[in-house]
């Protein structure tokens, strides 16, 4: 490192040329600068005091300045040594022994026969149906909808390994996690100082241990308590607002979003706080009873359920989930040992199992854990409507849905209470309600028979209230069972029921990850061909991330219409390339030239996406590939081969779609041209495939 370069860094970071490396380091931690600068530079000689194994480095990538906090390079290896891949995956899906490996139905696409294989010897998994592959980290990422750091946290806790990476990582997402954690601690501290909040929680029957487990807190009254606290901790108003903790007024002033509310932190699957739901304590007649965080860079209402991080293990163990409406319903249910309970409050149920960007929805994730669900919403009109909507969504995902009757299933005097009140009065009443839950068709049929005494009007009521659910059931045998039940209870012939049922048209959500239920669907794009195109578009299906092209966020397209996605292979490829270019610039240049040649016209769009997330990619690559530079070349060559195969596959699928359109249009010349191109691409793909086997 030249003195000129050090002085330039010192001037940029500290405003003076004589700043020491220690000054630079701590200033960089404070500011997280991204400034225009010259050539790439990397400093690894600065170690933070008291953390001898942790190296903090800052560097330039293109025209951006970044800070890198290196984790202990043995953590990933320690976790893998303690957690065999078959044991980890076996906690999510049921594995069947097959020689030296294990097999099961793939949790990432729909299939009738197992094509998902787990190899303890190799420490990885591979699906011959959708090409999903990886190790325990990629599996947890994809299955639970987490990023790499989230998966690392989940597996480290499971393995009993203490993470030693610096929590002050420089990525923007990391800073959002930090500010949400700071807010959670603040609300928890305020709870201990506020008698009214403590009295409310105590009166609801919540034990101190339970309150601490769910980190229930208090947002004090006043317009800027939290904002002032966070600003004193170094957070900017812009970050506080973007995190959903504050709002900007008409005059540009920033004020707390949550005021005078009991606070329930909402966490992702790994337990990191990403949002809040606040219940007002003193009703002023104007404010909403519950106020929830808006969508933020961390929080998508359709991708998380309250309490799922604490319920997921019990959902897998028990073989079913319980969906309640309110946070207090969930807290009290967990308190009496019914821990396979999740809540919808503060989130939003969506009828898509998988979004257009490949993100799994909240019910889609629950579906992966178990296809069986009991819905137990409040018994009022709004609760009933919400329960029926949730049931329809769950049925469309191929789930087996039951409804807990909070009215007819309770003794006199208890009917109509919500689950939290039932638990507080007598936990056995709540447990009996769950034991008596009925399949959605049987439940709603009973309601129709009770609500419609006129036999002439029963047919219409069935068409409006029962058949929409019955039509969503995929199994013909299950449908036949309920058709007979309807016929027996209404005296309407089975033939007439079948005739009316056939007239019902419903939109069914794609069932992605139908692991143990044995259900099948047509996939996200409909039909087997659509399923193939979805899962193999750029290699590894569920982990793909959309690329921003020409400044428009969403799915970009190459010439020919093929989506551009930064999948697992691309993430590993560019992450490792980053490290190779640091240690061996000449070799890195060779690899980059090869990648550019393979990507062709897509290269610019890929690089635009890569540069926006280079910190995360570098972190992942460092954790996965370690520090042995001798092994980097071998890994890079394998990644380039896989990358080339994926790119050819993308172009082949796009060309096949063009060919189909040309055939429909009767364009003989175009058909001939595209057929030759498909043949050439197939040959190229086969040749690349041979490289993988050498």
């Amino acid at each position: 490192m030249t003195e000129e370069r050090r002085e330039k860094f010192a001037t940029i970071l500290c405003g003076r040329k004589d700043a020491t490396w220690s000054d630079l380091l701590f200033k960089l931690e404070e500011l997280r600068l991204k400034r225009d600068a010259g050539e790439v530079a990397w400093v690894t000689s600065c170690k933070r005091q008291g953390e001898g194994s942790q190296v903090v480095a800052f560097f330039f990538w293109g025209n951006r300045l970044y800070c890198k906090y290196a984790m202990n390079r043995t953590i990933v290896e320690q976790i893998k040594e303690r957690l065999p891949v078959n044991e980890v995956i076996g906690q999510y899906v049921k594995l069947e022994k097959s020689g030296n490996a294990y097999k099961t139905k793939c949790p990432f696409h729909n299939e009738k026969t197992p094509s998902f294989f787990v190899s303890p010897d190799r420490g990885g998994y591979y699906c011959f149906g959708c090409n999903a592959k990886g190790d325990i980290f990629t599996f947890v990422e994809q299955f639970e909808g987490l990023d790499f750091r989230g998966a690392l946290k989940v597996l480290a806790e499971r393995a009993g390994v203490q993470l030693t990476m610096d929590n002050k990582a420089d990525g923007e997402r990391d800073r959002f996690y930090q500010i949400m954690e700071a807010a959670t601690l603040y609300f928890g501290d305020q709870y201990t100082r506020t008698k009214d909040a403590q009295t409310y929680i105590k009166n609801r029957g919540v034990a101190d241990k339970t309150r601490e487990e769910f980190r229930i807190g208090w947002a004090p009254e006043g317009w800027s308590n939290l904002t002032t606290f966070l600003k004193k901790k170094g957070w900017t108003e812009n970050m506080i607002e973007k995190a959903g903790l504050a709002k900007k007024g008409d005059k540009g002033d920033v004020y707390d979003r949550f005021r005078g509310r009991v606070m329930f932190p909402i966490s992702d699957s790994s337990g990191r706080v990403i949002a809040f739901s606040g219940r007002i304590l003193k009703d002023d007649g104007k404010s909403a009873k519950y106020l929830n965080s808006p969508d933020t860079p961390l929080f998508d209402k359709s991708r998380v359920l309250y309490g799922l991080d604490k319920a997921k293990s019990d959902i897998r163990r028990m073989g079913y989930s319980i969906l309640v409406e309110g946070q207090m319903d969930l807290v009290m249910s967990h308190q009496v040992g019914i821990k396979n309970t999740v809540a919808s409050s503060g989130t939003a149920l969506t009828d898509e199992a998988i979004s257009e960007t490949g993100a799994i929805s909240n019910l889609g994730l629950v579906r992966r854990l178990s296809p069986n669900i009991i819905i137990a919403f409040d018994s009022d009109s709004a609760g009933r409507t919400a329960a029926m909507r949730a049931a329809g969504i769950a049925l469309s995902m191929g789930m087996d849905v039951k409804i807990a009757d909070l009215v007819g299933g309770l003794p006199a005097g208890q009917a109509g209470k919500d689950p939290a009140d039932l638990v507080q009065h007598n936990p056995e009443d709540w447990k009996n309600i769950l034991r008596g839950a009925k399949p959605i068709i049987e439940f709603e049929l009973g309601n129709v028979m009770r609500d419609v005494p006129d036999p002439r009007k029963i047919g219409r009521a069935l068409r409006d209230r029962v058949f929409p659910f019955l039509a969503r059931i995929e199994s013909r045998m299950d449908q036949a069972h309920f058709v007979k039940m309807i016929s027996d209870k209404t005296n309407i012939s089975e033939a007439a029921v079948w005739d009316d049922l056939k007239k019902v048209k419903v939109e069914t959500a794609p069932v992605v990850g139908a692991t143990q239920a044995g259900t099948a669907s047509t996939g996200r794009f409909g039909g087997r061909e659509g399923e193939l195109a979805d899962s193999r578009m750029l290699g590894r299906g569920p982990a793909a991330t959309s690329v921003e092209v020409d400044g428009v966020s969403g799915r970009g397209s190459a010439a020919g219409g093929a989506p551009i996605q930064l999948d697992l292979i691309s993430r590993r490829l560019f992450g490792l390339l980053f490290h190779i270019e640091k240690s061996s610039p000449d070799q890195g240049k060779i690899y980059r030239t090869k990648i550019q040649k393979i990507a062709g016209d897509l290269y610019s769009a890929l690089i635009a996406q890569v540069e926006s997330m280079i910190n995360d990619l570098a972190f992942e690559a460092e954790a996965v590939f370690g520090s042995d530079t001798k092994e980097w070349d071998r890994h890079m060559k394998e990644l380039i081969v896989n990358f080339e195969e994926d790119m050819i596959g993308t172009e082949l699928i796009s060309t096949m779609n063009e060919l189909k359109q040309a055939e429909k249009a009767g364009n003989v010349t175009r058909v001939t041209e595209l057929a030759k191109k498909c043949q050439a691409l197939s040959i190229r793909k086969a040749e690349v495939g041979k490289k993988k086997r050498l």
Side-chain angles (χ1 to χ4, degrees):
M1 179 64 60
T2 65
E3 181 64 18
E4 179 182 357
R5 176 60 65 187
R6 188 198 65 76
E7 289 181 358
K8 187 170 185 178
F9 283 1
T11 301
I12 292 175
L13 296 176
C14 301
R16 66 182 197 274
K17 294 182 179 181
D18 61 343
T20 64
W21 283 120
S22 179
D23 293 332
L24 292 175
L25 177 58
F26 286 104
K27 188 63 177 178
L28 183 61
E29 289 177 351
E30 176 186 354
L31 300 177
R32 302 288 188 267
L33 291 178
K34 291 184 178 181
R35 294 284 297 274
D36 292 342
E39 64 191 61
V40 171
W42 175 270
V43 179
T44 57
S45 59
C46 300
K47 293 188 177 181
R48 299 191 66 193
Q49 294 180 355
E51 302 178 18
S53 65
Q54 284 193 315
V55 176
V56 183
F58 60 93
F59 52 90
F60 287 110
W61 176 268
N63 64 345
R64 297 192 177 111
L65 180 62
Y66 295 95
C67 175
K68 182 75 176 74
Y69 295 84
M71 60 177 286
N72 186 323
R73 288 177 171 82
T74 65
I75 287 179
V76 170
E77 286 75 12
Q78 288 180 39
I79 294 173
K80 286 186 174 181
E81 287 173 0
R82 298 187 187 187
L83 298 178
V85 65
N86 54 299
E87 291 186 9
V88 172
I89 296 179
Q91 292 176 335
Y92 292 88
V93 295
K94 185 177 180 180
L95 296 177
E96 177 184 343
K97 187 73 172 172
S98 178
N100 294 328
Y102 296 84
K103 66 179 180 180
T104 187
K105 293 175 184 176
C106 180
F108 305 126
H109 81 287
N110 303 304
E111 59 182 7
K112 294 182 179 180
T113 56
S115 64
F116 186 91
F117 285 80
V118 179
S119 172
D121 294 337
R122 296 178 178 271
Y125 61 90
Y126 183 79
C127 176
F128 289 91
C130 70
N131 289 343
K133 69 176 182 179
D135 56 15
I136 56 176
F137 293 94
T138 54
F139 182 86
V140 173
E141 280 183 69
Q142 295 180 9
F143 195 100
E144 296 200 20
L146 294 169
D147 59 10
F148 178 78
R149 293 172 191 262
L152 187 67
K153 181 177 182 291
V154 168
L155 292 171
E157 291 174 354
R158 197 173 298 174
V161 174
Q162 184 177 359
L163 293 180
T164 57
M165 62 183 181
D166 194 318
N167 288 328
K168 293 183 178 180
D170 65 331
E172 185 179 46
R173 287 182 65 85
D174 300 291
R175 294 198 292 278
F176 278 117
Y177 284 119
Q178 291 163 30
I179 195 172
M180 297 305 287
E181 179 63 21
T184 303
L185 293 173
Y186 173 79
F187 293 141
D189 177 69
Q190 291 298 309
Y191 174 86
T192 64
R193 304 168 185 265
T194 309
K195 188 72 173 178
D196 288 347
Q198 295 173 31
T199 300
Y200 170 78
I201 292 297
K202 183 178 180 180
N203 289 342
R204 293 303 303 267
V206 180
D208 289 341
K209 182 180 179 181
T210 303
R211 194 223 38 109
E212 292 172 0
E213 179 186 357
F214 285 90
R215 307 183 74 181
I216 299 172
W218 168 252
E221 296 176 348
W223 290 94
S224 59
N225 292 295
L226 176 62
T227 299
T228 300
F229 170 81
L230 292 174
K231 286 170 68 175
K232 287 181 179 179
K233 294 293 184 180
W235 299 100
T236 65
E237 288 187 350
N238 181 54
M239 176 63 79
I240 297 170
E241 183 185 1
K242 287 177 68 176
L245 299 172
K247 298 176 69 175
K248 184 172 289 187
D250 295 337
K251 297 181 180 180
D253 55 319
V254 173
Y255 60 92
D256 292 350
R257 179 180 295 274
F258 301 100
R259 307 179 305 280
R261 294 178 179 271
V262 176
M263 299 299 291
F264 297 88
I266 299 173
S267 301
D268 66 10
S269 185
S270 71
R272 296 173 296 182
V273 177
I274 58 176
F276 292 97
S277 182
R279 187 198 188 281
I280 197 166
L281 197 56
K282 299 177 181 178
D283 190 357
D284 59 6
K286 300 178 182 178
S287 304
K289 182 178 180 181
Y290 281 94
L291 180 64
N292 305 313
S293 290
D295 282 354
T296 70
L298 295 184
F299 181 52
D300 180 338
K301 291 182 177 66
S302 66
R303 293 186 60 186
V304 66
L305 287 171
Y306 179 68
L308 183 58
D309 58 310
K310 294 177 175 60
K312 60 186 181 182
S313 296
D314 283 87
I315 292 174
R316 290 193 295 263
R317 182 175 61 84
M318 300 293 291
Y320 69 98
S321 60
I322 301 166
L323 178 64
V324 295
E325 197 167 7
Q327 286 96 346
M328 199 60 74
D329 297 331
L330 177 140
V331 169
M332 294 300 289
S333 190
H334 277 244
Q335 183 169 290
V336 295
I338 306 175
K339 297 187 176 183
N340 55 329
T341 308
V342 293
S344 62
S345 183
T347 66
L349 302 180
T350 176
D351 54 7
E352 286 187 342
I354 296 287
S355 71
E356 289 187 358
T357 59
I360 186 169
S361 70
N362 40 28
L363 274 186
L365 178 53
V366 171
R367 172 65 182 78
R368 283 182 175 175
L369 297 171
S370 171
N372 307 308
I373 188 170
I374 296 175
I375 298 175
F377 282 8
D378 294 350
S379 56
D380 57 17
S381 176
R384 173 186 163 78
T385 300
M388 293 299 102
R389 180 177 181 273
I393 293 171
L395 279 173
S396 70
M397 293 182 182
M399 300 182 78
D400 186 354
V401 182
K402 291 185 177 181
I403 303 292
D405 188 355
L406 293 176
V407 178
L410 285 169
Q414 298 300 311
K417 288 189 174 182
D418 62 33
D421 293 333
L422 289 176
V423 172
Q424 187 175 5
H425 178 267
N426 183 0
E428 285 304 312
D429 286 342
W430 173 230
K431 294 176 182 179
N432 288 333
I433 284 292
L434 295 175
R435 293 188 189 104
K438 298 178 181 179
I440 175 65
I441 306 302
E442 182 179 351
F443 174 80
E444 192 60 10
L445 175 61
N447 290 337
V448 167
M449 299 301 294
R450 182 193 66 233
D451 298 341
V452 186
D454 188 344
R456 296 172 300 175
K457 298 180 180 180
I458 285 181
R460 176 175 291 278
L462 290 174
R463 287 192 295 271
D464 292 342
R465 296 171 53 178
V466 178
F467 289 178
F469 296 114
L470 184 54
R472 283 182 166 92
I473 296 178
E474 294 182 346
S475 169
R476 184 76 169 181
M477 292 180 64
D478 288 345
Q479 282 189 332
H481 167 77
F482 289 116
V483 166
K484 185 177 187 304
M485 178 186 293
I486 293 170
S487 176
D488 291 342
K489 292 190 176 184
T490 62
N491 291 322
I492 299 174
S493 70
E494 290 186 36
V497 175
W498 279 115
D499 285 343
D500 277 7
L501 182 61
K502 292 175 182 177
K503 299 175 183 177
V504 177
K505 295 182 179 180
V506 294
E507 294 278 337
T508 58
V511 186
V512 179
T515 51
Q516 305 305 326
T519 58
S521 79
T522 57
R524 278 175 58 194
F525 292 89
R528 294 295 301 174
E529 181 180 1
E531 180 180 335
L532 180 68
D534 172 48
S535 61
R536 297 183 179 175
M537 189 56 67
L538 246 176
R540 305 297 173 253
T545 303
S546 296
V547 168
E548 186 173 312
V549 182
D550 295 332
V552 180
S553 179
R555 284 180 176 265
S557 356
I564 302 171
Q565 297 177 327
L566 196 62
D567 71 333
L568 183 60
I569 293 296
S570 299
R571 292 175 68 91
R572 298 287 189 263
L573 178 74
F574 286 103
L576 184 55
L577 175 64
F578 176 88
H579 289 293
I580 291 176
E581 288 184 330
K582 302 291 112 29
S583 64
S584 179
D586 291 339
Q587 185 61 47
K589 185 176 181 180
I590 293 173
Y591 285 138
R592 183 173 286 275
T593 300
K594 287 183 179 180
I595 293 169
Q596 185 173 2
K597 182 178 180 181
I598 292 170
D601 294 338
L602 301 182
Y603 181 76
S604 296
L606 286 170
I607 291 301
Q609 177 71 351
V610 166
E611 288 186 349
S612 70
M613 57 193 303
I614 188 60
N615 290 313
D616 289 335
L617 301 186
F619 178 89
E620 292 179 24
E622 181 180 41
V624 172
F625 300 115
S627 59
D628 188 354
T629 57
K630 295 179 181 179
E631 290 293 309
W632 284 358
D633 283 337
R634 179 176 65 83
H635 291 308
M636 178 55 78
K637 289 174 182 177
E638 291 178 356
L639 286 168
I640 287 178
V641 170
N642 282 310
F643 179 71
E644 183 176 9
E645 185 178 38
D646 287 347
M647 297 303 294
I648 295 172
T650 301
E651 187 176 1
L652 178 59
I653 291 172
S654 176
T655 305
M656 290 173 65
N657 289 333
E658 287 187 67
L659 176 60
K660 187 178 295 185
Q661 294 300 318
E663 288 174 339
K664 288 182 178 179
N667 189 334
V668 178
T669 303
R670 185 62 175 160
V671 167
T672 302
E673 177 186 329
L674 291 172
K676 290 181 179 179
K677 185 177 179 180
C678 285
Q679 184 179 16
L681 288 170
S682 297
I683 293 173
R684 278 183 59 200
K685 190 173 182 181
E687 290 174 347
V688 173
K690 291 179 182 178
K691 295 180 185 178
K692 295 173 63 175
R693 296 189 289 271
L694 294 178

